[in-house]
Amino acid sequence: MVKVGVVGATGYSGAKLVELLLNHKETEIVYLGSKSYSKMKFQDIYKNFTGIDNLILKNQDLLEVSKKCDVVFLALPSKVAKDMITQEILDNTLIIDLGADFRLEDPNDYEKWYKATAPDFNILKQAVYGLTDIHGDKVKSTKLISNPGCYTTCSILTLAPLVKTQLIDLDSIIIDAKSGVTGAGKGLNLGSLYCEANENIKAYGITTHRHTPEIEQELTKLANQKVMVQFTPHLIPMNRGILATCYAKLKDGVTSEQIDKAYKTFYKDSLSVNFLGKNKIVETKYVKDTERIDISYTIDERTNNIIALGAIDNLVKGASGQAIENMNIYFGFDQYQGLRKFASTPL
Amino acid sequence: MVKVGVVGATGYSGAKLVELLLNHKETEIVYLGSKSYSKMKFQDIYKNFTGIDNLILKNQDLLEVSKKCDVVFLALPSKVAKDMITQEILDNTLIIDLGADFRLEDPNDYEKWYKATAPDFNILKQAVYGLTDIHGDKVKSTKLISNPGCYTTCSILTLAPLVKTQLIDLDSIIIDAKSGVTGAGKGLNLGSLYCEANENIKAYGITTHRHTPEIEQELTKLANQKVMVQFTPHLIPMNRGILATCYAKLKDGVTSEQIDKAYKTFYKDSLSVNFLGKNKIVETKYVKDTERIDISYTIDERTNNIIALGAIDNLVKGASGQAIENMNIYFGFDQYQGLRKFASTPL
Amino acid sequence: MVKVGVVGATGYSGAKLVELLLNHKETEIVYLGSKSYSKMKFQDIYKNFTGIDNLILKNQDLLEVSKKCDVVFLALPSKVAKDMITQEILDNTLIIDLGADFRLEDPNDYEKWYKATAPDFNILKQAVYGLTDIHGDKVKSTKLISNPGCYTTCSILTLAPLVKTQLIDLDSIIIDAKSGVTGAGKGLNLGSLYCEANENIKAYGITTHRHTPEIEQELTKLANQKVMVQFTPHLIPMNRGILATCYAKLKDGVTSEQIDKAYKTFYKDSLSVNFLGKNKIVETKYVKDTERIDISYTIDERTNNIIALGAIDNLVKGASGQAIENMNIYFGFDQYQGLRKFASTPL
Amino acid sequence: MVKVGVVGATGYSGAKLVELLLNHKETEIVYLGSKSYSKMKFQDIYKNFTGIDNLILKNQDLLEVSKKCDVVFLALPSKVAKDMITQEILDNTLIIDLGADFRLEDPNDYEKWYKATAPDFNILKQAVYGLTDIHGDKVKSTKLISNPGCYTTCSILTLAPLVKTQLIDLDSIIIDAKSGVTGAGKGLNLGSLYCEANENIKAYGITTHRHTPEIEQELTKLANQKVMVQFTPHLIPMNRGILATCYAKLKDGVTSEQIDKAYKTFYKDSLSVNFLGKNKIVETKYVKDTERIDISYTIDERTNNIIALGAIDNLVKGASGQAIENMNIYFGFDQYQGLRKFASTPL
């Protein structure tokens, strides 16, 4: 059994990790960390669980934790993890960081978008960006996996085949993304109150959202040339799910056959990608609580634009589920061990 | 592998059955019935599923279906199943009826509350009321299991220990129940429209709801004397879940120790009952999509009332999950095979 | 023009007061108080408003405020107002307190239910309980109006005619109440987060909710004998509205004609009471944003219980709207000046 | 008093019209038409209303209705009104059509997008497109006002100043729009069920939505050259509101001062336009139930795109409210008579 620790176990993605680990046959939880709820039982906070009286939240030093775990997941706010990770810790254990600190390869990008000092470069350069459907093969060779963001996972996977094959104009990409409220986390912010978020829709972080450079970094690598995107997130009155509506100008003469082939080729080994094809509609409810992305597209013959749609669960494929995928790959388990393929019926 | 058929497979409880059966290790779906969607693929209606192209909806005669199935689930509106079941069908296969037609033992009760001719008494008398936590032992000895209603499952299980031990005045029971909108089914009714049900709460079926005689029948058996209840359901703007807030006058001198003992004794073998005890609060989100009922209670020293709370998922413990439990008991599988114990985190 | 101040203007009931005052033809807002948002424009917090740049939030002493206002509304948490009100302030201005501190006439009740020192009795005894449909005639003769709570307004008005005429057993009253999330206020509490309250229902404050003694105080006065009630509130995933489902044992031989007459007589002068009569169903959406209570009832011939239903908007009839009614009565304006009669269509 | 009729009075926009007319001081409702609810009282269907027992739904011929009304509003599905309007009817009364049949000036566009025969050209050419903030001056000179669609009102008003001044590349416009479920009307469609629309987001009508040619027609007129747009609507789990997130490439060197000036100039006489300016965020809740559009924008210096946001209430500014504006202009009343400026607080 792989010994696992979770730091930040009571936030939404931390708790989702705990749930997935409890359903996993090859892991044993040996540490659950929480500052706010230290010494409490996990099941007294997440009352959907019973019979796990032994899981007590603690607030131990990461170095201590690293000594008793084969893998430690960090589910922390941005700017926290970067100052916690040392080489000694990485020598002790595999770190899978669900936060943002090690996602941007260029420290300048980090400092520009996060307005903070970049992580130690000696640590940063060891990080593998754990977008499993693209970088799964690199995961085994590191001790520091940087798990992708929710919007980024959805946006990159929806666009990757089009960018890789350059069937679209790379300077025409617009991503209009919509997220449920769990995306804002469990923090006590006014905008996350029921009566503030309910019966409303708004955009936020226009031109400044920190997932932008992460999307651009990955699309740039795929295209082998600098790619910029217009990324606009919106807050939707629902708990879970992200829909990315992606617009781009098709290159002249591109056919739907070419597009279908681009997706099928790119994702031929990706069991979590459910490519629906042309003129289909994805919906977030169909991927809720699953390790799956549904992708479809439509071509507008009038404007020569392609509208590609991607839908994921922000907490699963967009966070904790993908972190489990990374763990599974690293330890040689079935990549989808402990993860769900199908959403509950109905919703 | 047990060969299974589902008649009415595209309604909410029918589709939930299909989902549960797909996760079940001992069953093989050999028939999915639907009038409205005949010849369509199930996965083209419930797009959360993929890779089950072979599951095509059909509209065959129940007698035909009974010949190829070891068990047939009926997920039909009330008043339909009673005219479909014959002795020949029961000789062929086990029927688990999720509808209401065979729940009331007294044909007069059926005719009074359902305003329709009661089922053939020779068939009716073979029916076992499949409330697993109470009648699980009788399930093996019949070919016709009548699966309880959603409100009834929640109400009876919440009150049963108190009624059985007569710690409460039996003529003082009030059940104020609240249900999510899936309880109204997938029918195209004005009241089920998003904009009608959203941001609203209302009571309905006051004094006339058909789950009333079902609750009374079972509580009467437990008490060994006639029990009547005041049952009032309400519609809540959420998809899933039932909360039953049950009020009764405590008999003089009854202590919480006696109440705790009553529950623990009554449910000592029921793994799906999560008895939280005194002064706790149940919430429907903690049992969503699980085969579980959470029960708690509070005593009011001022009024000498007990307020007992029960929470279930109306489509799982309150319908399809309990039907699977019945199948599992009948065929000698683990009672909770294919059923979930813990709700998704968060919600 | 009546000069008005609002202390606590940025909470939900404070802001609703501001809205109602802006629509009122006889008032001029001269003070808006807020600790947290002092010096900000009201319209920068409630962006539904424009063109009121002149309304700047301030944090002044209540004595100062009392000198420039004809009436001051207090929309504060409980236990705050009681230490702010002095005789000098009451000599200066009319105080309409939307909080709970002056609602309970017996200081012992306050200390028992609020676990805090009762208000100065010389101040307390001047307070008039401003439940307009019952005590409207006493409002003109005080400088301290204690505005009723939301649950209490709904519960008392639904039950008052039955209690007054003693058509029911007074020791049999059960009130199962359901409220939208604005009832919990704008405070940053975990339970008020969108993802915590959404898709869920729970009871809370069972046997201990502070609106209980307030309901009992008023029903006791109506009955001329001590009345106790079983009051259980629930949290519903919607923004606005309270539904009170009230149960009581009918006295032998009571007819629906008597009940109809009791309601019609009791509320013959109450324009905000919409009595629907027997076998009707009230819904919270029909009273949203209005100064109205919808009341209906059903008799169960089997159990001899009456189930009476009341629905209000917790922030309007249950808080700020009723406060405006009190102001209107005090100053001799039309009682419903500035208040809406009809909910928006649809919802 | 202006005598008014409403045909299709029980759908969402028809009923909203009735509400607005009841609050209007210069109108008298003399006819409410409904096929499905003929002979019923309006207040028995919309129970938010009381005291209007006299408003009985009828199913009369439009010619008859036109003889007794000064103005008749048609709130009907598309393709119905075009076969009802005759010259005789227009000679009798003013028609304000909330449907789509007379919105497209070119019959070929109608036939292409609506897959139906275009309206009689002699009638069609009399129609004025009643987008009040742009064509208000033409309203008085016709007997047939074609009220704009909801998405179109929001999209056109958000983009008009940019298009008129050509500060953007006209071939780069992308409109990603999001609507609450009332936009789908009160019809009994599976997708409009609570449990289908709740906790979900999806796009629909991609490249084919019928509001596309309507937007293009008006932007083309403003630009004096052919404009095409990429329009993608989405369904959001809320009752009311439309948010249009509009993307376009800025022409080189365009400054925010120029943009501010373009909006302020274009809307200098439009009281319903609330232009928030640069780097602000609009939210649908702030315009709920009002005759208002909130508009803001952000410039992305990196991509040189402008992201302009518009928010309206689809049933008010996007349908019935604008129809009332048109009536007010036609009859010389204050343009905003009977219409609300501010949303309810909170939401």
Side-chain angles (χ1 to χ4, degrees), chain B residues 156-258:
Chain B
I156 297 167
L157 293 182
T158 304
L159 287 164
L162 302 174
V163 168
K164 173 80 177 177
T165 55
Q166 304 224 2
L167 295 174
I168 56 173
D169 285 349
L170 295 176
D171 62 354
S172 70
I173 299 173
I174 288 174
I175 303 165
D176 190 283
K178 298 90 176 169
S179 174
V181 186
T182 46
K186 206 179 170 182
L188 297 178
N189 304 306
L190 186 60
S192 299
L193 289 187
Y194 185 87
C195 300
E196 299 295 319
N198 190 32
E199 293 293 294
N200 190 39
I201 174 171
K202 65 173 176 183
Y204 65 98
I206 307 177
T207 76
T208 62
H209 195 280
R210 291 161 172 180
H211 285 182
T212 310
E214 200 178 324
I215 298 169
E216 293 181 348
Q217 166 182 290
E218 295 302 312
L219 296 185
T220 292
K221 283 191 271 181
L222 286 163
N224 257 321
Q225 70 182 77
K226 178 67 185 165
V227 176
M228 281 205 301
V229 301
Q230 192 68 56
F231 173 71
T232 309
H234 297 75
L235 191 67
I236 303 295
M238 61 183 193
N239 282 5
R240 301 264 208 100
I242 284 177
L243 178 73
T245 310
C246 304
Y247 301 88
K249 191 66 70 181
L250 278 182
K251 288 210 174 126
D252 284 347
V254 170
T255 64
S256 62
E257 288 71 27
Q258 288 174 281

Side-chain angles (χ1 to χ4, degrees), chain A residues 189-259:
Chain A
N189 304 306
L190 185 60
S192 299
L193 289 187
Y194 185 88
C195 300
E196 299 295 319
N198 191 31
E199 295 292 293
N200 189 40
I201 173 171
K202 65 173 176 183
Y204 66 99
I206 308 176
T207 75
T208 62
H209 195 281
R210 291 162 171 179
H211 285 181
T212 309
E214 200 179 323
I215 298 168
E216 293 181 349
Q217 167 182 290
E218 296 302 311
L219 296 185
T220 292
K221 284 191 270 180
L222 287 163
N224 256 319
Q225 69 181 80
K226 178 68 186 165
V227 176
M228 281 204 299
V229 301
Q230 192 68 56
F231 173 70
T232 310
H234 298 75
L235 190 68
I236 303 295
M238 61 183 193
N239 282 4
R240 300 266 208 100
I242 285 177
L243 179 72
T245 310
C246 304
Y247 301 88
K249 191 66 71 182
L250 277 182
K251 287 208 174 129
D252 283 347
V254 169
T255 65
S256 61
E257 288 71 27
Q258 288 175 281
I259 294 167

Side-chain angles (χ1 to χ4, degrees), chain D residues 4 8-9 18 25 55 59 67 86 91 121 147 172 192 201 207 241 275-276 295 302 311 325 327-328 330:
Chain D
V4 184
V18 175
K25 290 169 187 163
L55 291 183
N59 186 13
K67 290 174 185 164
T86 61
D91 291 343
F121 193 68
N147 209 59
S172 71
S192 299
I201 174 171
T207 75
F275 177 63
L276 300 170
I295 298 174
R302 300 184 335 121
E325 270 194 77
M327 178 190 75
N328 285 336
Y330 183 90

Side-chain angles (χ1 to χ4, degrees), chain A residues 2 9 21 42 53 72-73 87 101 108 111 130 138 181 199-200 254 272 281 289 301 309 314 347:
Chain A
V2 165
L21 290 166
F42 182 79
D53 304 56
V72 178
F73 293 93
Q87 191 59 49
D101 289 3
N108 295 323
E111 305 207 337
K138 304 183 191 76
V181 186
E199 295 292 293
N200 189 40
V254 169
S272 65
I281 295 284
D289 230 25
E301 309 284 356
L309 300 164
N314 55 307
L347 182 49

Side-chain angles (χ1 to χ4, degrees), chain D residues 211-278:
Chain D
H211 285 181
T212 310
E214 199 178 324
I215 298 168
E216 293 181 349
Q217 167 181 289
E218 295 302 312
L219 296 186
T220 292
K221 283 192 271 180
L222 286 163
N224 257 320
Q225 68 183 80
K226 177 68 185 164
V227 176
M228 280 204 301
V229 301
Q230 192 67 55
F231 173 70
T232 309
H234 298 75
L235 191 67
I236 303 295
M238 61 184 193
N239 283 5
R240 300 264 209 101
I242 284 177
L243 178 73
T245 310
C246 304
Y247 301 88
K249 192 67 71 182
L250 278 181
K251 288 211 174 126
D252 284 346
V254 170
T255 64
S256 61
E257 287 70 27
Q258 287 174 281
I259 294 167
D260 286 344
K261 190 181 165 200
Y263 277 100
K264 286 175 184 169
T265 305
F266 195 91
Y267 292 124
K268 67 179 189 300
D269 299 322
S270 290
L271 294 179
S272 65
V273 176
N274 180 32
F275 177 63
L276 300 170
K278 191 181 173 182

Side-chain angles (χ1 to χ4, degrees), chain A residues 263-299:
Chain A
Y263 277 99
K264 287 174 183 169
T265 305
F266 196 91
Y267 292 123
K268 67 180 189 300
D269 299 322
S270 291
L271 293 179
S272 65
V273 176
N274 181 30
F275 177 63
L276 301 170
K278 190 180 173 182
N279 293 338
K280 294 287 194 279
I281 295 284
V282 305
E283 309 190 25
T284 55
K285 68 180 171 186
Y286 291 129
V287 296
K288 190 178 176 186
D289 230 25
T290 73
E291 190 65 7
R292 192 172 115 186
I293 178 167
D294 281 9
I295 299 174
S296 66
Y297 74 93
T298 303
I299 296 172

